[in-house]
Amino acid sequence: VQLQASGGGSVQTGGSLRLSCAALGSTLNGYAIGWFHQAPGKERDWVACIDYSGDKKFYGDSVKGRFTISRDDAKNTVYLQMDSLRPDDTGVYYCAGEESEWRCTTFFSGQLYYPQDFASWGQGTLVTVSS
């Protein structure tokens, strides 16, 4: 599946953005979707993921309570609502998909997801948070 992330922009600290991850010419049905954040000069870090059904949602510690992941399969889109944004949220956000019924269905304390856990990637969208 080909994915496209959008919705990035520039906001001040405490502001909000909603990112979208759309499937181009295909469907997200059956795909778990993850969001990753890459700050300037740093590695791509996992932010959140949602399983294929939308029932299971998990978050990295740095965004828990501030970001919300959701999906609308009728629109072939996964969203990342980003609230209470901070300057360290600045960077490029990527969405990634894995055709799997078990990816992002379990989570234990301290667990991380990695880019290699997801096979399909789109171009990222830039988020800039100023203080």
Side-chain angles (χ1 to χ4, degrees):
V1 64
Q2 186 177 355
L3 302 174
Q4 183 174 52
S6 62
S10 296
V11 296
Q12 293 187 326
T13 296
S16 297
L17 285 172
R18 188 176 80 159
L19 306 184
S20 298
C21 176
L24 304 179
S26 183
T27 178
L28 289 181
N29 289 342
Y31 280 82
I33 300 295
W35 283 97
F36 288 78
H37 166 233
Q38 188 164 20
K42 295 190 176 181
E43 295 184 346
R44 200 168 295 187
D45 293 329
W46 171 67
V47 172
C49 67
I50 187 167
D51 78 329
Y52 78 102
S53 70
D55 290 339
K56 302 289 180 64
K57 306 170 187 180
F58 303 110
Y59 301 90
D61 287 343
S62 65
V63 306
K64 202 172 298 181
R66 300 188 300 123
F67 291 9
T68 304
I69 191 170
S70 62
R71 67 189 299 154
D72 185 341
D73 285 342
K75 295 183 179 180
N76 273 329
T77 303
V78 170
Y79 302 99
L80 185 68
Q81 178 67 40
M82 310 165 67
D83 298 319
S84 303
L85 283 162
R86 311 183 307 213
D88 60 354
D89 295 319
T90 292
V92 179
Y93 284 77
Y94 298 88
C95 62
E98 179 71 12
E99 189 172 19
S100 170
E101 293 185 353
W102 54 268
R103 181 73 74 211
C104 297
T105 58
T106 61
F107 191 79
F108 55 87
S109 179
Q111 180 177 350
L112 300 174
Y113 284 95
Y114 297 93
Q116 56 263 38
D117 293 328
F118 298 87
S120 302
W121 290 79
Q123 291 184 335
T125 185
L126 178 63
V127 171
T128 303
V129 185
S130 58
S131 58

